[in-house]
Amino acid sequence: MNIVVGVTGGIAAYKSVQLVRLLIKAGHEVTVVPTEDALRFVGLPTWEAISRNPVTTSVHDDVARVRHVALGQGADLIVVAPATANTIAKMTAGIADNLLGTTLLATEAPVLIAPAMHAEMWRHPSTQANIETLQHRGVRILGPAVGELAGGDSGPGRMVEPEDIADAALALLAPKDLAGLRIAISAGGTREPIDPVRYLGNRSSGRQGVALAAEAAARGAEVTLIAANIAGDVLAGARHPSIRIRQAGTASELALAMADAAETADAMVMAAAVADYRPVEVAHRKLTKESGGIPVIELVENEDIVAGLVRARREGQVIVGFAAETPETAGDEEELLARARRKRQRKGVDLLVVNEVGWERGFEAGENEVMVLGRDGLVTATASGSKRAVAAVVLDALRPLWTAGRTSV
Ligand code: CTP
């Protein structure tokens, strides 16, 4: 497919070299359209060499082939990364004073932008209003991420990593094979309060669940994402017109939110790490050393949310569970599989996505490795790679169960 990558004048432009590489590696034809300012950061020969296509910034080059509109007309997708506040403002107003501007006006292809700027510029009401307008028009906004910015500041404004932009771009080109699917996905980790300042929690970042939500939405599904304590920069990955986000802090809140979503959902995915236990009593004031002695926190078991969803399921509703296992608990591969089979059966889910976690693996990492167990206890799929790639495989496994459910209802 033909992808136009617009590059505007921000320091993150150097990262877009990697973005172009990834898109080409995935088998696409890429034309880079930098702005004049972008060329101050990365020169024209680099873009030509990496994209293997001629690069120009001016609407007056290649006039014979009406390049200023032809690029937009011929594109299957346009990605603008980094997108500066200035370019975002110009896009909103429809200003076409350079090749990128004319290309954007002349296209009917999906447009994805990855903003990058200083936090103050991002937060400015005009930028926020522009983003809202663009989003309303169907432009996909990816990020910005929170982190270190040029000049040593930090905050929201960093361009999302090129690997994630490539994933989102490729997903936009993907077929809409989940159109019509209403899916509820829980993600993150619950926190069970001990007192107003402390909680029992876990290390789940929510990345895998957010990747599932983003992938499902890209493939045409209507998504409800139930987010349990997910950091803002991770949750930014779920910014999509077809994703509705609901927050749930504790296991009880998550149970309520999932039960609510279950009323209309065709499929439910419990990717959240739920605390198995919560303190019997929550102290209303902070426990202090003066409260006397070392506290003993008595726990009570939380309800098994996914098992409850299975008990209450409507006909044809597909339910997917996750199982995070440490190799130490699971023993060898055989034992891991046997444990997973018992867990799938105990919970009654249609699919169980099993991944190994540990001190170094699984939680905060960008990559994941899973196997998917089906109703018959057999491994129906395995996946390793980015969490987005894993999400795609999980949804591939879910899709036939959903369509089968549809035909039987
Ligand atoms: N789960 C749930 N409610 C709970 C605990 C877990 O819905 N109270 C869901 C998780 O979201 C996940 C699946 O059950 O989809 C498996 O979670 P896991 O923690 O691996 O299983 P447990 O039931 O806690 O079993 P064990 O402690 O034996 O590993």
Side-chain angles (χ1 to χ4, degrees):
M1 300 242 205
N2 289 320
I3 305 178
V4 170
V5 175
V7 184
T8 72
I11 182 71
Y14 78 93
K15 291 190 179 181
S16 295
V17 175
Q18 170 69 352
L19 169 65
V20 172
R21 272 196 60 223
L22 291 168
L23 296 175
I24 288 173
K25 216 169 123 195
H28 298 287
E29 187 70 27
V30 177
T31 306
V32 179
V33 182
T35 59
E36 280 294 329
D37 266 355
L39 295 182
R40 291 168 176 255
F41 295 91
V42 178
L44 195 140
T46 303
W47 298 120
E48 290 203 328
I50 203 87
S51 70
R52 302 173 207 151
N53 268 320
V55 171
T56 161
T57 59
S58 163
V59 291
H60 305 298
D61 293 327
D62 202 5
V63 176
R65 282 195 291 155
V66 232
R67 188 169 169 84
H68 70 290
V69 288
L71 275 176
Q73 287 167 337
D76 297 298
L77 172 69
I78 300 187
V79 182
V80 184
T84 57
N86 181 47
T87 291
I88 289 170
K90 289 211 266 181
M91 282 176 76
T92 313
I95 293 173
D97 62 353
N98 56 17
L99 186 59
L100 180 59
T102 56
T103 303
L104 283 162
L105 275 189
T107 199
E108 285 180 5
V111 177
L112 169 70
I113 70 170
M117 63 197 75
H118 266 78
E120 291 80 0
M121 295 171 84
W122 171 251
R123 290 197 196 102
H124 194 281
S126 35
T127 305
Q128 287 301 310
N130 291 338
I131 287 288
E132 206 172 306
T133 306
L134 291 178
Q135 215 165 10
H136 196 69
R137 287 184 199 151
V139 172
R140 285 284 324 280
I141 320 283
L142 197 63
V146 178
E148 209 175 299
L149 304 170
D153 296 346
S154 71
R158 261 176 85 90
M159 188 176 86
V160 168
E161 292 306 316
E163 289 74 16
D164 295 328
I165 303 173
D167 279 349
L170 298 177
L172 279 175
L173 292 173
K176 303 283 179 253
D177 62 339
L178 298 180
L181 173 73
R182 291 163 301 176
I183 186 168
I185 298 167
S186 71
T190 68
R191 290 180 184 173
E192 311 301 322
I194 296 170
D195 68 15
V197 294
R198 303 183 182 90
Y199 57 81
L200 292 176
N202 60 69
R203 285 176 53 208
S204 180
S205 64
R207 282 196 172 83
Q208 186 61 71
V210 166
L212 274 162
E215 177 70 14
R219 284 163 66 168
E222 280 293 321
V223 183
T224 303
L225 176 66
I226 296 163
N229 307 299
I230 301 178
D233 61 329
V234 176
L235 205 53
R239 209 191 263 257
H240 189 285
S242 302
I243 302 180
R244 195 167 66 105
I245 299 175
R246 291 190 57 180
Q247 305 280 352
T250 64
S252 320
E253 287 167 9
L254 189 57
L256 278 177
M258 280 311 271
D260 191 36
E263 289 187 14
T264 49
D266 305 304
M268 274 168 300
V269 181
M270 273 296 289
V274 185
D276 288 326
Y277 307 99
R278 66 174 183 276
V280 173
E281 268 183 72
V282 180
H284 291 292
R285 277 186 298 173
K286 183 186 163 195
L287 298 176
T288 65
K289 292 205 185 86
E290 287 174 8
S291 315
I294 297 174
V296 175
I297 300 168
E298 200 188 331
L299 301 177
V300 58
E301 197 164 347
N302 278 327
E303 70 172 288
D304 189 323
I305 303 171
V306 76
L309 294 174
V310 168
R311 278 195 303 275
R313 86 157 99 195
R314 292 194 317 276
E315 203 184 325
Q317 205 170 35
V318 184
I319 302 180
V320 181
F322 267 69
E325 307 287 352
T326 51
E328 294 75 17
T329 330
D332 59 12
E333 194 82 355
E334 282 286 290
E335 179 49 26
L336 176 75
L337 202 57
R339 243 185 86 74
R341 285 201 176 106
R342 291 196 295 276
K343 191 172 278 186
R344 195 211 63 78
Q345 210 156 19
R346 194 168 70 236
K347 307 246 174 194
V349 290
D350 299 301
L351 296 173
L352 187 72
V353 183
V354 188
N355 65 333
E356 276 190 26
V357 293
W359 295 112
E360 312 292 339
R361 302 179 67 169
F363 289 119
E364 287 96 356
E367 306 252 307
N368 206 0
E369 191 176 340
V370 305
M371 59 183 182
V372 184
L373 270 191
R375 279 178 194 147
D376 50 10
L378 298 178
V379 178
T380 60
T382 55
S384 68
S386 70
K387 290 190 171 173
R388 185 66 181 250
V390 167
V393 171
V394 171
L395 293 170
D396 286 345
L398 181 153
R399 195 172 74 98
L401 303 179
W402 166 56
T403 39
R406 267 201 307 185
T407 44
S408 72
V409 175

